[in-house]
Amino acid sequence: MLFTSYEFIFFMAVLLVLYYLVPKKSQWVLLLLASYVFYWVANPAYLLYIGVTTVTIYFGALKIEKNLNRQTEYIKLHKEELSKEEKKEYKKQQKKIRFRWAALFVCLNIGILAVVKYTNFFLTCLSPVISLFSGNEGVSVVDLLVPMGISFYTFQAVGYLVDVYRGTIPAEKNLFRFALFVSFFPQLVQGPISRYSDLAETLYAEHSFDKKNVAYGLQRILWGYFKKLIIADRIFAAVSTILTNQEEYQGAYLVVGMIFYTIQLYADFTGGIDVTIGVAQTLGIRVQENFNLPYFSMSLKEYWRRWHISMCNWFRDYIFYPVSSSNALQKFAKFSRKRFGESAGKRLPVYVASFVVWFSTGLWHGANWNFIVWGLANWAVLMISEELEPLYAKFHSKVNVKETKWYRAFCMVRTYLLVCCLNLFDCYSSVTDTFRAFKSMLTTFNWQILWNGALLKVGLSGLDYIILAFGVLVMSGVSIVKCKTGARDFVASKPYPVRFAVWFGLFVIVLLMGTYGIGYDSSQFIYNQF
Amino acid sequence: METLLEILADLHPDVDFTKEDKLIDDMILDSFDIVTLISEISEAFDVTITAENIIPENFNSAQALYELIQQLEDEE
């Protein structure tokens, strides 16, 4: 059951009515049932996977917390008898036990994710070795079920377990409440990856019918549908035509295709999150924002603070910081200082930790080398930018342009084009094809396609371009408004006829001009495969 | 505290670390800075800052960071 289907609209209508009719203390139970129905309709077999993750992480967290409580009690009870050294040693031992439990359940669940998502990738990588021993050419792929959203809910559950291990949150005592945290249906499609400390309170609270929440939630859903059906699904036709046929479409076509893909990705992903946050808001539940005007970024570093925020924060807190502060990397830091001097010695450990993060981020995005290369390309650009910082600082000390509008505009356009280029690695499963595309962009000069009508033969009509231009303009306008105030607040501050015109107009536009069933599964959001 | 202030000033010479108390909230220090800081502090004070200690409360001001260092020195 996917967000842009009639089944989902019916599901939400029924859920909303029931949600505000049932006793408030049972609302979370209804949500749990709804989430499992949502997942069951997608595929009943998925329930086994999410069930295993839920139960194992739930028991793991309780086990860890029980150990921590026992430790605290023991220290309290034997406060006078134990020396400082003995207390330290006891705490160290108990922490080791807790670490082993945490590691067991994290490895189990990441292992499940690894097996269902990456078995074929590993088999393909090991194929030459396997063939050598088996005598067969190549290996057969394994047909494994990949539960919808497994990357999202696994990371969300693992994050919770690590937070319990760190002592920053208490373990959830109620298995069913915990099951809701893992399976909350709006997040199953594309995230965001929520933290227990952010989501739990709002998820389990009792919610009265609030006209503003329901209205704003529905508006947000409609806005998500606009981005998805007016822009993303429409522009996909051209993206698909151009980028799946490199023989025919070269040079300027590829530049256009690359830019169109970035527009599609933005509209699709942020549109999906709009629907997620909107659905949650209609239920009175606050889900954290996952995007913050990413194309207004002045650098790639800033872009990764504004794009897919929950994923970036997850990798920062659960991979980057643990790797950076590990004994191994601290020893490497000492070695780097002695070997390469203070300046390089300071930077190398950061670069190594970042490498691990970006390799993992690439791998998380997809079970193929092009995604890993995408991750490492981001890493390379970020590291080069760090190395060039002294040069930039020197430039800005001599040329006073940093705060000028045109320099800021230049930085935004530069970052946008850089992101477009990096995103191209998403489009081709072969990395060679991506580099071939870049070469073609730089060596084939066929810019006449922009005015000779060639772009009307790539799956988009003149009317489609007009609608797309309108859609992108509206999307950009809303982003500019959001720089100062909330877009819905902005509309809500206008007279009633204006408000009615905006929302009714948007509804009609989505109904009449939305792209429905163009031969591409229009109900799939790009990130749904995760 | 002087040593810590020197380390911080080396990272961002333009920031007055004696006054700033929203180093993380205002994104004056980013994740790269934090990792560099961990390494520098480990070297200078012979303490181990682990991932559990990397929370905004401990890094929002030089004073908070110094208190963390003292706490870790007591524990080791």
Side-chain angles (χ1 to χ4, degrees), chain A residues 84 88 95 165-166 301 305 316 320-322 324-325 330 333-334 337 342 346 350 354 383 386, chain B residues 10 27 30-32 34-36 38-40 42-43 46 48-52 54-55 74-76:
Chain A
K84 192 176 171 186
K88 196 173 145 190
K95 190 168 182 186
Y165 166 76
R166 288 176 178 170
K301 199 174 183 180
R305 287 200 296 266
R316 180 196 63 199
F320 186 59
Y321 286 153
S324 308
S325 58
Q330 290 304 310
K334 279 198 171 105
R337 274 197 176 78
E342 276 297 315
K346 263 195 273 193
V350 178
S354 302
M383 296 310 107
E386 283 294 314
Chain B
D10 201 33
M27 291 192 287
D30 62 22
S31 47
F32 277 23
I34 289 171
V35 168
T36 308
I38 289 170
S39 177
E40 296 281 285
S42 169
E43 182 78 3
D46 198 24
T48 309
I49 297 181
T50 60
E52 287 102 282
I54 306 174
I55 52 175
D74 287 340
E75 284 173 11
E76 283 188 16

Side-chain angles (χ1 to χ4, degrees), chain A residues 19-63:
Chain A
Y19 188 74
Y20 290 112
L21 285 178
V22 299
K24 289 197 195 65
K25 61 179 187 227
S26 306
Q27 282 173 328
W28 71 267
V29 179
L30 179 65
L31 282 183
L32 175 63
L33 286 170
S35 299
Y36 270 68
V37 163
F38 181 87
Y39 215 41
W40 178 80
V41 167
N43 189 326
Y46 291 168
L47 293 176
L48 175 66
Y49 290 87
I50 204 169
V52 166
T53 294
T54 302
V55 167
T56 54
I57 296 285
Y58 168 78
F59 279 113
L62 285 181
K63 193 90 190 158

